Amino acid sequence: MILLLQAGNLLAQKKASTDSLIRLSSIWLSKSIADQTSIFIDSAGQVKTESFRGLPSLHPIPVSLSRKIPARYVNMPAFLQFSLLNDTDSAQSIFFLPGFYFNDIDLYKYDSAVGEFKPVSGQPGNKDYNRTSVGRIYLKPGESATFICELQFIKTTVNSITPILCNEFFLPNLLEDLRNDRRLNSIITYLTCGVMLMMIFYSLAAYFTNWNIEFLYYLAYAALLGFMFFFKAYLYKYPAEANFFFESYFDFMLQCAGTLFYFLFLRRFTNAKTEFPALEKMLLAQQVITISGMIAFTILNFFADNFPLQNMVENLIKYSWSACTIFVIAYAIYTGEMILRYLAIGHSFLFLGGLVSLFLINSSYRFNPTLSSLINDSLFWYEMGILFELVFFLIALSFKTRLDIAARAREKERILLEYEKSAIEKQMAVLAAKQEERNRISADMHDELGSGVTAIRLMSELVKTKMKDNTLPEIEKISHSANDLIGKMNTIIWTMKSTNDSVDNMIAYVRSYAAEFFDNTEIVCRVESPDNLPAIDLSGEKRRNSFLCIKEALNNVVKHSHATEVVISFRIGPHLVIKIHDNGIGLNYDNIREFSNGLTNMRKRMESIDGHFSIRHHNGTIVTLSIPLQ
């Protein structure tokens, strides 16, 4: 039935007396009468202004209503009641300013003769005044009267009640002072408009330079938001139909249209359709939500009388933008793309600024009043978010420009690559032919030479058997040479065969060779390798040189180390690292010349395949071979 005010605000204020008189002699220029004015908001339609004797219930005006009117009260008529006493010896005209913004201000004066409140009519010869901002009161000398002011709010969240009485000669100055009470805020807003104008010119230049349509989208975004900021500052507390239309409807339409173009810009600028499908879907969804919200907001504004629902639609759209901003930030972190990261940093500032702005719009809470009025200005926080977002957008644009330059350079190289492609294909064909020839030669060696050498070894063994103790030394040499030749030929065949071009095959071959090599010795050999060997290619040249180095190292172990144990370990990383560690007498630098040719050959073999060779003494001798796997 009556306005339900917040208990905290009621307890924090001194209740105004409905019959306390405001003396006109105390008003030199103007005077705030909020403490001497009572309020009633007719939420149930109880008051009939055609004939009423008073208001059902009155309350002091909460401080919160001087900041903003809650959306649920915007459609309801508000009534202010105050009492005046003309304690001068002449008739007085005084102007009453209840606050901002109202479609109409109707004043009623209590007529004791009939016991009712009657409308206050203008006095003959008075100057014109705007009935949406002020009401004129006339009192005779010594006259006292109680007045009720009926207010109809416009459809906006920036309405406020700040009742003031003002002398006629000071009225123009007061209206100007009210418009300039946030001069610094307006200056910052105009500076923001200048930045947006700069971006409009920049977008035009970028479009005519590269003919990229996304810069036209950004131009529209900057222009629409720039217009909104400009009119916010220029029309601030300006009681005119144009401002009422702007504050209640058009400012939100400008913001929505600008944001729509920004979504279009982001989709084209990031190439979201092909590179970031999830981002593309989110931005498309936001465009649909924004357009649907604009339609619903328009219908509610012009064809309905439900401002809370209209305000809820506006807030839902803004919250959806905030959700989109959070998604962009999270998506940039997830993808790790630098251009999205720059945009995400800018969107973080935009999100924080928009969040504070929404809080100040939808709440009557204000920060410490001793701070600058900027801190409590919702538009200021939104502007700061836009400006910081703009800074990081320019960084992202610079980064993208650099990428575009690199892309154009790559495009120039593409023709050269196309030209070289045929040559590369020819080289690949040659390599394939060589590989095929390697396989053929290895097969021929195995089938032809292998069988022949094996026959020689078998015949020499057969001769040795028949001759028994009368075996000639030459026969022994033939048998030994045949065995040695078979081993070397098997190594060559293993090296040439392309199916063996892998790390795991090499390790298996070394394991088999070492077991056979140390079979007739007292040296125990262990081969250590990773349990799960990845499939890594290793060319025939690298396998051959690596194996020959291993073979030379094992020969040195048998001939010079006096070891009882040798460990061959394989470690796989960017390089294949092979260590041959024996527990022998170690490296004797005085006698190193005994096998210096072998060490020199091992070092040269490693260098020929861009590898590394080292030998050192540590509880024996450690030979390390490092072969690059790329």
PDB file of all heavy atoms in Angstrom, residues 34 109 122 127 144 156 183 185 189 200 206-207 210 229 235 303 413 417 512 540 571 618:
ATOM      1  N   ALA A  34      15.295  18.735   1.576  1.00  0.00           N
ATOM      2  CA  ALA A  34      15.071  17.286   1.676  1.00  0.00           C
ATOM      3  C   ALA A  34      14.742  16.879   3.098  1.00  0.00           C
ATOM      4  O   ALA A  34      13.896  15.989   3.332  1.00  0.00           O
ATOM      5  CB  ALA A  34      16.302  16.536   1.179  1.00  0.00           C
ATOM      6  N   LYS A 109      -1.944  22.860  -3.487  1.00  0.00           N
ATOM      7  CA  LYS A 109      -1.881  23.683  -2.275  1.00  0.00           C
ATOM      8  C   LYS A 109      -3.116  23.403  -1.424  1.00  0.00           C
ATOM      9  O   LYS A 109      -4.228  23.312  -1.945  1.00  0.00           O
ATOM     10  CB  LYS A 109      -1.822  25.162  -2.660  1.00  0.00           C
ATOM     11  CG  LYS A 109      -1.759  26.127  -1.492  1.00  0.00           C
ATOM     12  CD  LYS A 109      -1.696  27.558  -2.010  1.00  0.00           C
ATOM     13  CE  LYS A 109      -1.663  28.558  -0.881  1.00  0.00           C
ATOM     14  NZ  LYS A 109      -1.641  29.974  -1.390  1.00  0.00           N
ATOM     15  N   GLY A 122      -0.378  28.963 -12.468  1.00  0.00           N
ATOM     16  CA  GLY A 122       0.595  30.040 -12.640  1.00  0.00           C
ATOM     17  C   GLY A 122      -0.031  31.399 -12.450  1.00  0.00           C
ATOM     18  O   GLY A 122      -1.223  31.607 -12.686  1.00  0.00           O
ATOM     19  N   LYS A 127       6.966  34.703 -15.894  1.00  0.00           N
ATOM     20  CA  LYS A 127       7.746  34.161 -17.006  1.00  0.00           C
ATOM     21  C   LYS A 127       7.421  32.682 -17.188  1.00  0.00           C
ATOM     22  O   LYS A 127       7.009  32.002 -16.263  1.00  0.00           O
ATOM     23  CB  LYS A 127       9.237  34.334 -16.724  1.00  0.00           C
ATOM     24  CG  LYS A 127       9.682  35.789 -16.626  1.00  0.00           C
ATOM     25  CD  LYS A 127      11.166  35.861 -16.351  1.00  0.00           C
ATOM     26  CE  LYS A 127      11.632  37.314 -16.235  1.00  0.00           C
ATOM     27  NZ  LYS A 127      13.061  37.429 -15.931  1.00  0.00           N
ATOM     28  N   SER A 144       0.999  31.125   5.244  1.00  0.00           N
ATOM     29  CA  SER A 144       1.619  29.803   5.355  1.00  0.00           C
ATOM     30  C   SER A 144       0.713  28.787   4.659  1.00  0.00           C
ATOM     31  O   SER A 144      -0.509  28.949   4.653  1.00  0.00           O
ATOM     32  CB  SER A 144       1.841  29.418   6.816  1.00  0.00           C
ATOM     33  OG  SER A 144       0.601  29.286   7.495  1.00  0.00           O
ATOM     34  N   THR A 156      13.711   5.558 -16.790  1.00  0.00           N
ATOM     35  CA  THR A 156      15.169   5.475 -16.737  1.00  0.00           C
ATOM     36  C   THR A 156      15.594   5.160 -15.314  1.00  0.00           C
ATOM     37  O   THR A 156      14.812   5.319 -14.369  1.00  0.00           O
ATOM     38  CB  THR A 156      15.822   6.785 -17.209  1.00  0.00           C
ATOM     39  OG1 THR A 156      17.241   6.641 -17.159  1.00  0.00           O
ATOM     40  CG2 THR A 156      15.420   7.944 -16.334  1.00  0.00           C
ATOM     41  N   ARG A 183      31.418  18.643 -13.518  1.00  0.00           N
ATOM     42  CA  ARG A 183      32.195  19.219 -14.624  1.00  0.00           C
ATOM     43  C   ARG A 183      33.375  18.316 -15.006  1.00  0.00           C
ATOM     44  O   ARG A 183      33.647  18.094 -16.188  1.00  0.00           O
ATOM     45  CB  ARG A 183      32.682  20.604 -14.229  1.00  0.00           C
ATOM     46  CG  ARG A 183      33.383  21.354 -15.366  1.00  0.00           C
ATOM     47  CD  ARG A 183      33.896  22.702 -14.884  1.00  0.00           C
ATOM     48  NE  ARG A 183      32.801  23.529 -14.410  1.00  0.00           N
ATOM     49  CZ  ARG A 183      32.072  24.313 -15.211  1.00  0.00           C
ATOM     50  NH1 ARG A 183      32.332  24.347 -16.511  1.00  0.00           N
ATOM     51  NH2 ARG A 183      31.088  25.039 -14.730  1.00  0.00           N
ATOM     52  N   ASN A 185      33.684  15.126 -14.551  1.00  0.00           N
ATOM     53  CA  ASN A 185      33.161  13.940 -15.233  1.00  0.00           C
ATOM     54  C   ASN A 185      32.882  14.233 -16.697  1.00  0.00           C
ATOM     55  O   ASN A 185      33.201  13.424 -17.586  1.00  0.00           O
ATOM     56  CB  ASN A 185      31.865  13.482 -14.558  1.00  0.00           C
ATOM     57  CG  ASN A 185      32.038  13.256 -13.072  1.00  0.00           C
ATOM     58  OD1 ASN A 185      32.610  14.078 -12.383  1.00  0.00           O
ATOM     59  ND2 ASN A 185      31.533  12.138 -12.564  1.00  0.00           N
ATOM     60  N   THR A 189      34.510  12.671 -20.091  1.00  0.00           N
ATOM     61  CA  THR A 189      33.647  12.083 -21.123  1.00  0.00           C
ATOM     62  C   THR A 189      33.944  12.688 -22.493  1.00  0.00           C
ATOM     63  O   THR A 189      34.015  11.969 -23.500  1.00  0.00           O
ATOM     64  CB  THR A 189      32.169  12.291 -20.765  1.00  0.00           C
ATOM     65  OG1 THR A 189      31.900  11.680 -19.505  1.00  0.00           O
ATOM     66  CG2 THR A 189      31.257  11.682 -21.824  1.00  0.00           C
ATOM     67  N   ILE A 200      37.819   6.580 -35.071  1.00  0.00           N
ATOM     68  CA  ILE A 200      37.006   6.625 -36.292  1.00  0.00           C
ATOM     69  C   ILE A 200      37.900   6.975 -37.482  1.00  0.00           C
ATOM     70  O   ILE A 200      37.847   6.309 -38.536  1.00  0.00           O
ATOM     71  CB  ILE A 200      35.869   7.660 -36.136  1.00  0.00           C
ATOM     72  CG1 ILE A 200      34.837   7.167 -35.118  1.00  0.00           C
ATOM     73  CG2 ILE A 200      35.201   7.935 -37.483  1.00  0.00           C
ATOM     74  CD1 ILE A 200      33.778   8.197 -34.774  1.00  0.00           C
ATOM     75  N   ALA A 206      42.615   2.837 -42.092  1.00  0.00           N
ATOM     76  CA  ALA A 206      42.947   1.415 -42.204  1.00  0.00           C
ATOM     77  C   ALA A 206      42.096   0.735 -43.268  1.00  0.00           C
ATOM     78  O   ALA A 206      42.585  -0.124 -44.014  1.00  0.00           O
ATOM     79  CB  ALA A 206      42.756   0.725 -40.854  1.00  0.00           C
ATOM     80  N   TYR A 207      40.824   1.140 -43.365  1.00  0.00           N
ATOM     81  CA  TYR A 207      39.958   0.524 -44.361  1.00  0.00           C
ATOM     82  C   TYR A 207      40.411   0.871 -45.778  1.00  0.00           C
ATOM     83  O   TYR A 207      40.511  -0.011 -46.637  1.00  0.00           O
ATOM     84  CB  TYR A 207      38.516   0.975 -44.146  1.00  0.00           C
ATOM     85  CG  TYR A 207      37.585   0.514 -45.254  1.00  0.00           C
ATOM     86  CD1 TYR A 207      37.215  -0.825 -45.351  1.00  0.00           C
ATOM     87  CD2 TYR A 207      37.101   1.407 -46.199  1.00  0.00           C
ATOM     88  CE1 TYR A 207      36.373  -1.261 -46.363  1.00  0.00           C
ATOM     89  CE2 TYR A 207      36.262   0.990 -47.219  1.00  0.00           C
ATOM     90  CZ  TYR A 207      35.905  -0.347 -47.297  1.00  0.00           C
ATOM     91  OH  TYR A 207      35.083  -0.773 -48.320  1.00  0.00           O
ATOM     92  N   ASN A 210      43.780  -1.100 -46.542  1.00  0.00           N
ATOM     93  CA  ASN A 210      43.771  -2.554 -46.721  1.00  0.00           C
ATOM     94  C   ASN A 210      42.459  -3.108 -47.255  1.00  0.00           C
ATOM     95  O   ASN A 210      42.379  -4.274 -47.592  1.00  0.00           O
ATOM     96  CB  ASN A 210      44.078  -3.235 -45.372  1.00  0.00           C
ATOM     97  CG  ASN A 210      45.388  -2.781 -44.787  1.00  0.00           C
ATOM     98  OD1 ASN A 210      46.397  -2.784 -45.472  1.00  0.00           O
ATOM     99  ND2 ASN A 210      45.382  -2.393 -43.510  1.00  0.00           N
ATOM    100  N   PHE A 229      28.396   8.667 -25.484  1.00  0.00           N
ATOM    101  CA  PHE A 229      29.141   9.384 -24.452  1.00  0.00           C
ATOM    102  C   PHE A 229      28.927  10.894 -24.559  1.00  0.00           C
ATOM    103  O   PHE A 229      28.750  11.581 -23.549  1.00  0.00           O
ATOM    104  CB  PHE A 229      30.629   9.058 -24.552  1.00  0.00           C
ATOM    105  CG  PHE A 229      30.979   7.643 -24.192  1.00  0.00           C
ATOM    106  CD1 PHE A 229      31.991   6.969 -24.854  1.00  0.00           C
ATOM    107  CD2 PHE A 229      30.289   6.980 -23.196  1.00  0.00           C
ATOM    108  CE1 PHE A 229      32.317   5.676 -24.529  1.00  0.00           C
ATOM    109  CE2 PHE A 229      30.604   5.668 -22.863  1.00  0.00           C
ATOM    110  CZ  PHE A 229      31.618   5.020 -23.530  1.00  0.00           C
ATOM    111  N   LEU A 235      23.726  16.374 -22.492  1.00  0.00           N
ATOM    112  CA  LEU A 235      22.332  16.472 -22.051  1.00  0.00           C
ATOM    113  C   LEU A 235      22.155  16.203 -20.559  1.00  0.00           C
ATOM    114  O   LEU A 235      21.023  16.046 -20.099  1.00  0.00           O
ATOM    115  CB  LEU A 235      21.472  15.479 -22.842  1.00  0.00           C
ATOM    116  CG  LEU A 235      21.366  15.733 -24.349  1.00  0.00           C
ATOM    117  CD1 LEU A 235      20.571  14.612 -25.018  1.00  0.00           C
ATOM    118  CD2 LEU A 235      20.731  17.087 -24.633  1.00  0.00           C
ATOM    119  N   PHE A 303       5.172   0.407 -25.839  1.00  0.00           N
ATOM    120  CA  PHE A 303       3.840  -0.201 -25.853  1.00  0.00           C
ATOM    121  C   PHE A 303       3.466  -0.859 -24.534  1.00  0.00           C
ATOM    122  O   PHE A 303       2.453  -1.563 -24.465  1.00  0.00           O
ATOM    123  CB  PHE A 303       3.756  -1.252 -26.973  1.00  0.00           C
ATOM    124  CG  PHE A 303       4.108  -0.704 -28.323  1.00  0.00           C
ATOM    125  CD1 PHE A 303       5.333  -1.004 -28.907  1.00  0.00           C
ATOM    126  CD2 PHE A 303       3.233   0.138 -29.004  1.00  0.00           C
ATOM    127  CE1 PHE A 303       5.666  -0.496 -30.151  1.00  0.00           C
ATOM    128  CE2 PHE A 303       3.571   0.642 -30.253  1.00  0.00           C
ATOM    129  CZ  PHE A 303       4.795   0.329 -30.824  1.00  0.00           C
ATOM    130  N   GLU A 413      56.832 -15.917 -50.844  1.00  0.00           N
ATOM    131  CA  GLU A 413      57.693 -17.093 -50.891  1.00  0.00           C
ATOM    132  C   GLU A 413      56.983 -18.302 -51.488  1.00  0.00           C
ATOM    133  O   GLU A 413      57.635 -19.254 -51.923  1.00  0.00           O
ATOM    134  CB  GLU A 413      58.186 -17.436 -49.490  1.00  0.00           C
ATOM    135  CG  GLU A 413      59.133 -16.399 -48.906  1.00  0.00           C
ATOM    136  CD  GLU A 413      59.516 -16.733 -47.474  1.00  0.00           C
ATOM    137  OE1 GLU A 413      58.994 -17.765 -46.960  1.00  0.00           O
ATOM    138  OE2 GLU A 413      60.296 -15.985 -46.879  1.00  0.00           O
ATOM    139  N   LEU A 417      58.354 -21.368 -53.552  1.00  0.00           N
ATOM    140  CA  LEU A 417      58.210 -22.738 -53.072  1.00  0.00           C
ATOM    141  C   LEU A 417      57.535 -23.625 -54.113  1.00  0.00           C
ATOM    142  O   LEU A 417      57.898 -24.805 -54.271  1.00  0.00           O
ATOM    143  CB  LEU A 417      57.403 -22.750 -51.770  1.00  0.00           C
ATOM    144  CG  LEU A 417      58.088 -22.119 -50.555  1.00  0.00           C
ATOM    145  CD1 LEU A 417      57.140 -22.100 -49.362  1.00  0.00           C
ATOM    146  CD2 LEU A 417      59.362 -22.881 -50.206  1.00  0.00           C
ATOM    147  N   SER A 512      72.333 -57.812 -29.759  1.00  0.00           N
ATOM    148  CA  SER A 512      72.678 -59.113 -30.332  1.00  0.00           C
ATOM    149  C   SER A 512      74.178 -59.215 -30.616  1.00  0.00           C
ATOM    150  O   SER A 512      74.822 -60.233 -30.307  1.00  0.00           O
ATOM    151  CB  SER A 512      71.873 -59.344 -31.616  1.00  0.00           C
ATOM    152  OG  SER A 512      72.278 -60.526 -32.265  1.00  0.00           O
ATOM    153  N   GLY A 540      70.378 -44.742 -42.242  1.00  0.00           N
ATOM    154  CA  GLY A 540      71.396 -45.773 -42.380  1.00  0.00           C
ATOM    155  C   GLY A 540      72.797 -45.261 -42.099  1.00  0.00           C
ATOM    156  O   GLY A 540      73.619 -45.957 -41.497  1.00  0.00           O
ATOM    157  N   ARG A 571      70.055 -43.741 -23.940  1.00  0.00           N
ATOM    158  CA  ARG A 571      69.118 -42.757 -23.418  1.00  0.00           C
ATOM    159  C   ARG A 571      68.588 -41.938 -24.601  1.00  0.00           C
ATOM    160  O   ARG A 571      69.366 -41.457 -25.434  1.00  0.00           O
ATOM    161  CB  ARG A 571      69.780 -41.825 -22.398  1.00  0.00           C
ATOM    162  CG  ARG A 571      68.766 -40.944 -21.692  1.00  0.00           C
ATOM    163  CD  ARG A 571      69.369 -40.119 -20.568  1.00  0.00           C
ATOM    164  NE  ARG A 571      70.179 -39.022 -21.069  1.00  0.00           N
ATOM    165  CZ  ARG A 571      71.499 -38.961 -20.977  1.00  0.00           C
ATOM    166  NH1 ARG A 571      72.176 -39.952 -20.388  1.00  0.00           N
ATOM    167  NH2 ARG A 571      72.183 -37.941 -21.460  1.00  0.00           N
ATOM    168  N   HIS A 618      86.464 -42.818 -15.255  1.00  0.00           N
ATOM    169  CA  HIS A 618      85.634 -42.749 -14.052  1.00  0.00           C
ATOM    170  C   HIS A 618      85.240 -44.174 -13.676  1.00  0.00           C
ATOM    171  O   HIS A 618      84.360 -44.784 -14.305  1.00  0.00           O
ATOM    172  CB  HIS A 618      84.366 -41.915 -14.290  1.00  0.00           C
ATOM    173  CG  HIS A 618      83.483 -41.844 -13.081  1.00  0.00           C
ATOM    174  ND1 HIS A 618      83.802 -41.076 -11.991  1.00  0.00           N
ATOM    175  CD2 HIS A 618      82.311 -42.463 -12.796  1.00  0.00           C
ATOM    176  CE1 HIS A 618      82.863 -41.206 -11.079  1.00  0.00           C
ATOM    177  NE2 HIS A 618      81.926 -42.046 -11.545  1.00  0.00           N
TER     178      HIS A 618
END
